């Protein structure tokens, strides 16, 4: 039986294909359309899933859409009516798309795909919960879902047992932890639904000076993690912005304009809203533990991408085990909706072994074999070296990393979710003091304050970091071990941004943030064998089982999907080598692109 899951029309549209309960394929539309966070109907992602599984539309038994459009429309209408006549501009702007497209999902699916069978509509947070629990390794667990908003719900918790999930309680719009975080994302000058992770990355530079102000004025937080927001300060219910003048007066001025200089104020605000978010998540986690007594926790929803908050929950030992859906945002709703249909609607059995999840490392996207890559290279007269096998491949690549070369690493199936996990990655030497600045400013062209993540052999994680638990999807943050740290001098502590980031703070400085934290990816030899071999080979050569891993793209660009996109990104940046399949490309041997266009004009800055 084949089930197609679809999420669309908010942000990060995606499709997923489930065959007899197994996740066969999943991808975000942005990887094909090259428009970051693409919200449109995911025709390209659907086509990929169908082609990958060699299916025609007649072979699809069910389509599951990740939320209930009419219920969402009801929330939008009621909200506008509540605030009318304020919000009329926003109302007029949003209505045509709803009336023409968003309300008629069933008809749209039939029209676009020629599909004539049943379409199911789980609720938005049911889809999140299903993506977290059904894909997890647990036979029973409690789940927490937290995001901006679905239909009405903005956060929920419940129980997952075998093949069923049940939501026990929720928080409803307009009270939303995700929207609170987005409001501060907007106020600090970053793009909503895109720049939230930048606020998280900025937080360690600041002091929590505004925590009391946020808790006293903006959010009434209860012991059980439930809360109400003071809507007098927010504009998102009826306006075209997230915050209003009252909010701006509370924090001493208007929002920072995008791309202008960051000040200590933005850093302090980022730190403050991050701490409030962590406190809310911790209280929720403690409450659901008290209520259910469950040992295992599953997380999903956009706020579950806040790996610092996840790391705090883990560190408190509230639960024995934790699993977070790697595509925790709306893209993962496509997987959740399809799994919900297979298990909950069709009542198929589910047996989990408590150790291996059903997400397959999230390597669920397109794959390009050596024949395809060589054909592309030959047709375009691109110089390359072909290695004979995986052993030679990882040996040569490990040597290049040890020489502090920056490498585009393009192998196997593309990742599903926002993180590069060793299939579409830019990699480098974590020991190198210069790697942070080289990668940030010459390779990624992104803001200087942002840190990079480490990939570490799973069994070696506790030798480098204060954690002894797998983090395969880069969704837990932990500190570098104390014995590996180097204390900063008083003068160094007063530095800012890239200057502070460039201070050597450990023996793996390229992945150590200014507060000694790191966003960890553990690499398992069975789930990602080639990447595991590469890091193992690098360890033999250098004595270090950690490398730098960042996504294969430039700022504003979706992660590369095809060899053609990988080559173009390689040539537009200062990467030294591109390694695709068994082919090694040296930048020094390449001719400049003769018809290239400025990437900054092609991709809108995120």
């Amino acid at each position: 039986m084949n089930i197609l899951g679809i999420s669309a029309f908010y942000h990060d549209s995606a499709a997923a294909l489930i065959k007899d309960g197994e996740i066969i394929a999943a991808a975000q539309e942005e990887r094909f359309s090259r428009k970051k966070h693409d919200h449109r109907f995911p025709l390209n992602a659907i086509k990929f899933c169908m082609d990958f599984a060699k299916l025609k539309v007649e072979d699809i038994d069910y389509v599951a859409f990740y939320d209930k459009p009419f219920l969402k429309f009801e929330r939008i209408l009621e909200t506008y009516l509540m605030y009318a006549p304020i919000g009329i501009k926003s109302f007029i702007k949003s209505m045509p798309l709803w009336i023409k497209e968003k309300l008629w999902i069933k008809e749209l699916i039939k029209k676009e795909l020629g599909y004539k069978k049943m379409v199911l509509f789980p609720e938005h947070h049911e889809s999140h919960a299903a993506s977290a629990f059904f894909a997890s390794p647990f036979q029973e667990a409690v789940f927490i879902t937290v995001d901006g908003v679905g239909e009405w719900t903005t956060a929920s918790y419940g129980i997952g047992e075998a093949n069923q999930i049940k939501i026990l309680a929720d928080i409803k719009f307009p009270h939303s932890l995700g929207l609170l975080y987005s409001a501060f994302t907007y106020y600090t000058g970053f793009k909503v639904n895109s720049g939230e992770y930048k606020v998280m990355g900025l937080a360690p530079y600041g002091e929590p000076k505004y925590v009391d102000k946020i808790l006293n004025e903006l959010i009434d937080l209860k012991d059980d993690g439930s809360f109400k927001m003071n809507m007098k300060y927010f504009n998102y219910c009826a306006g075209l912005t997230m915050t209003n003048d009252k909010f701006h007066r509370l924090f001493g001025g208007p929002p920072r304009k995008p791309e202008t200089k960051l000040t200590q104020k933005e850093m302090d605000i980022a730190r403050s809203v991050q701490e409030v978010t962590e406190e809310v998540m911790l209280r929720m986690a403690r409450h659901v533990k008290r209520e259910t007594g469950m040992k295992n926790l599953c997380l999903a929803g956009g706020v579950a991408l806040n790996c610092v908050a996840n790391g705090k929950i883990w560190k408190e030992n509230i639960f024995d085990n934790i699993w977070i859906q790697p595509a925790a945002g709306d893209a993962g709703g496509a997987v959740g909706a399809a799994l919900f249909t297979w298990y909950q609607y069709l009542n198929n059995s589910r047996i989990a072994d408590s150790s291996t999840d059903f997400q397959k490392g999230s390597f669920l996207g397109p794959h390009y074999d050596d024949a395809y890559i060589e054909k592309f290279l030959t047709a375009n007269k691109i110089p390359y070296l072909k290695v004979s096998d995986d052993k030679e491949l990882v040996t040569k690549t490990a040597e290049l990393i040890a020489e502090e070369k920056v490498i585009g690493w393009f192998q196997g199936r593309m990742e599903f979710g926002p993180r590069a996990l060793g299939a579409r990655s830019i990699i480098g030497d974590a020991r190198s003091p210069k790697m942070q600045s080289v990668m940030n400013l010459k390779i990624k062209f992104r803001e200087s304050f942002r840190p990079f993540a480490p990939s570490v052999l799973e069994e070696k994680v506790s030798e480098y970091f204060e954690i002894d638990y797998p983090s395969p999807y880069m969704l837990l943050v932990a500190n570098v071990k104390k014995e590996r740290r180097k204390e900063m001098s008083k003068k160094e502590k007063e530095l800012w941004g890239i200057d502070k980031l460039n201070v050597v703070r450990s023996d793996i400085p390229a992945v150590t943030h200014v507060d000694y934290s790191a966003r960890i990816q553990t690499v398992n030899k069975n789930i990602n064998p080639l990447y595991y071999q590469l890091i193992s080979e690098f360890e033999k050569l250098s004595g270090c089982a950690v490398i730098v891993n960042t996504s294969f793209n430039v700022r504003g660009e979706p992660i590369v999907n095809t060899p053609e996109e990988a080559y173009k990104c390689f040539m537009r940046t200062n990467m030294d080598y591109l390694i695709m399949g068994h082919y090694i490309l040296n930048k020094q041997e390449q001719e400049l692109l003769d018809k290239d266009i400025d990437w900054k004009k092609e991709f809108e800055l995120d």
Side-chain angles (χ1 to χ4, degrees), residues 213-231:
K213 195 169 274 190
I214 294 171
L215 290 174
N216 291 336
E217 297 289 337
L218 300 187
I219 178 170
D220 178 15
L221 178 62
K222 305 298 185 189
D223 286 342
D224 61 2
S226 65
F227 57 87
K228 282 197 169 183
M229 288 164 63
N230 186 346
M231 298 312 297

Side-chain angles (χ1 to χ4, degrees), residues 284-447:
M284 284 183 177
R286 292 184 201 117
H287 174 69
V288 300
K289 172 70 177 183
R290 282 194 301 269
E291 289 291 305
T292 68
M294 288 279 182
K295 295 178 179 177
N296 305 318
L297 171 67
C298 298
L299 293 171
V303 178
L305 292 172
N306 194 310
C307 43
V308 181
N310 299 342
K312 294 280 171 71
I313 293 173
W314 170 247
K315 195 175 177 183
E316 266 215 13
N317 289 318
I318 302 168
F319 294 92
D320 293 356
N321 298 293
I322 182 169
W323 193 86
I324 306 149
Q325 164 58 239
D330 278 5
V335 168
L339 289 174
F340 183 90
T341 302
W342 172 255
Y343 289 117
Q344 190 119 341
Y345 181 76
L346 296 170
N347 201 28
N348 287 297
S349 67
R350 174 180 176 276
I351 297 174
D353 66 3
S354 298
S355 62
T356 307
D357 68 36
F358 297 92
Q359 191 80 13
K360 300 179 176 176
S362 224
F363 300 112
L364 299 167
H367 169 258
Y368 299 87
D369 60 18
D370 274 2
Y372 183 99
I373 294 167
E374 185 165 323
K375 189 177 176 186
F376 161 68
L377 297 175
T378 305
N380 291 281
K381 298 178 181 171
I382 295 170
Y384 63 83
L385 169 71
K386 184 175 183 182
V387 295
S388 55
D389 54 23
D390 287 352
K391 173 67 180 164
E392 188 182 1
L393 178 74
V394 297
T395 301
K396 285 190 179 299
T397 308
E399 289 170 359
L400 293 172
I401 295 173
E403 293 169 13
E404 297 189 63
K405 303 298 184 190
V406 179
I407 297 160
W409 179 253
F410 183 101
Q411 304 290 342
R413 295 185 69 180
M414 184 179 71
E415 301 90 342
F416 178 55
R419 305 279 174 255
L421 301 169
R424 302 290 186 275
S425 293
I426 298 172
I427 55 178
D429 191 343
R431 302 167 306 158
S432 167
K434 69 176 186 182
M435 197 55 65
Q436 292 247 26
S437 60
V438 170
M439 278 195 173
N440 256 333
L441 300 175
K442 294 184 178 179
I443 309 292
K444 301 277 285 185
F445 305 111
R446 67 182 199 179
E447 298 91 337

Side-chain angles (χ1 to χ4, degrees), residues 63-339:
V63 171
F65 191 75
Y66 82 134
D67 66 14
K68 293 183 183 298
F70 279 89
L71 206 52
K72 188 181 270 188
F73 190 61
E74 174 196 88
R75 186 252 301 165
I76 289 168
L77 274 184
E78 282 194 23
T79 306
Y80 278 125
L81 287 171
M82 191 183 300
Y83 286 85
I86 299 167
I88 188 67
K89 283 185 184 174
S90 172
F91 181 80
I92 290 170
K93 192 174 177 184
S94 69
M95 279 307 104
L97 194 58
W98 270 102
I99 291 167
K100 275 197 291 185
E101 212 167 38
K102 289 184 177 180
L103 271 179
W104 316 110
I105 298 295
K106 195 181 287 185
E107 287 69 21
L108 184 70
I109 290 169
K110 289 181 178 176
K111 179 186 158 196
E112 294 288 354
L113 306 183
Y115 173 78
K116 296 175 182 172
K117 300 177 196 169
M118 183 176 279
V119 181
L120 297 170
F121 296 87
E123 285 196 23
H124 188 93
H125 277 257
E126 281 179 328
S127 295
H128 278 319
S131 77
F133 174 67
F134 291 139
S136 81
F138 310 132
Q139 193 64 10
E140 60 176 25
V142 64
F143 60 80
I144 298 175
T145 64
V146 188
D147 69 357
V149 62
E151 295 88 358
W152 283 98
T153 299
T154 66
S156 77
Y157 84 87
I159 298 279
E161 287 178 308
N163 67 347
Q164 298 290 305
I165 55 170
K166 184 179 182 183
I167 291 177
L168 299 175
D170 63 6
I171 296 172
K172 291 198 181 326
F173 184 85
H175 310 291
S176 163
L177 184 59
L179 291 175
L180 176 74
Y181 208 92
S182 291
F184 282 98
T185 300
Y186 167 80
Y187 186 69
T188 48
F190 300 111
K191 193 178 279 188
V192 171
N193 291 332
S194 173
E196 281 75 6
Y197 63 101
K198 296 183 185 180
V199 175
M200 185 177 71
L202 189 63
Y205 296 96
E207 296 296 326
K209 292 180 178 175
Y210 300 96
V211 166
D212 289 344
K213 195 169 274 190
I214 294 171
L215 290 174
N216 291 336
E217 297 289 337
L218 300 187
I219 178 170
D220 178 15
L221 178 62
K222 305 298 185 189
D223 286 342
D224 61 2
S226 65
F227 57 87
K228 282 197 169 183
M229 288 164 63
N230 186 346
M231 298 312 297
K232 290 177 182 174
Y233 290 97
F234 300 94
N235 206 25
Y236 58 76
C237 283
L240 294 170
T241 58
M242 294 298 294
T243 54
N244 60 22
D245 289 343
K246 192 175 171 70
F247 184 105
H248 306 158
R249 282 196 294 276
L250 185 66
F251 290 96
R256 168 182 164 260
K257 288 184 179 173
E259 304 304 318
T260 58
K261 187 180 177 184
L262 281 162
T263 68
Q264 191 61 43
K265 178 185 167 187
E266 281 83 35
M267 298 176 212
D268 293 341
I269 284 177
R271 174 71 180 271
S272 303
V273 72
Q274 177 62 32
E275 289 210 356
V276 170
T277 300
E278 291 163 15
E279 183 59 29
V280 176
M281 292 296 287
L282 279 167
R283 290 190 190 188
M284 284 183 177
R286 292 184 201 117
H287 174 69
V288 300
K289 172 70 177 183
R290 282 194 301 269
E291 289 291 305
T292 68
M294 288 279 182
K295 295 178 179 177
N296 305 318
L297 171 67
C298 298
L299 293 171
V303 178
L305 292 172
N306 194 310
C307 43
V308 181
N310 299 342
K312 294 280 171 71
I313 293 173
W314 170 247
K315 195 175 177 183
E316 266 215 13
N317 289 318
I318 302 168
F319 294 92
D320 293 356
N321 298 293
I322 182 169
W323 193 86
I324 306 149
Q325 164 58 239
D330 278 5
V335 168
L339 289 174

Side-chain angles (χ1 to χ4, degrees), residues 205 433 436-437 440-441 448-450 488 491-505 514:
Y205 296 96
Q436 292 247 26
S437 60
N440 256 333
L441 300 175
S448 61
F449 65 85
R450 293 169 57 192
M488 286 186 281
K491 192 175 178 183
E492 287 172 337
K493 285 179 182 173
E494 290 170 356
L495 294 171
W496 184 83
I498 193 70
D499 293 326
K500 192 170 188 178
L501 201 60
N502 284 337
V503 173
V504 175
R505 295 172 310 284
V514 294

Side-chain angles (χ1 to χ4, degrees), residues 3-24:
I3 302 168
L4 180 67
I6 297 173
S7 64
F9 295 132
Y10 190 43
H11 54 84
D12 297 299
S13 295
L17 186 74
I18 310 297
K19 187 178 179 66
D20 296 332
E22 180 185 356
I23 306 172
I24 298 294

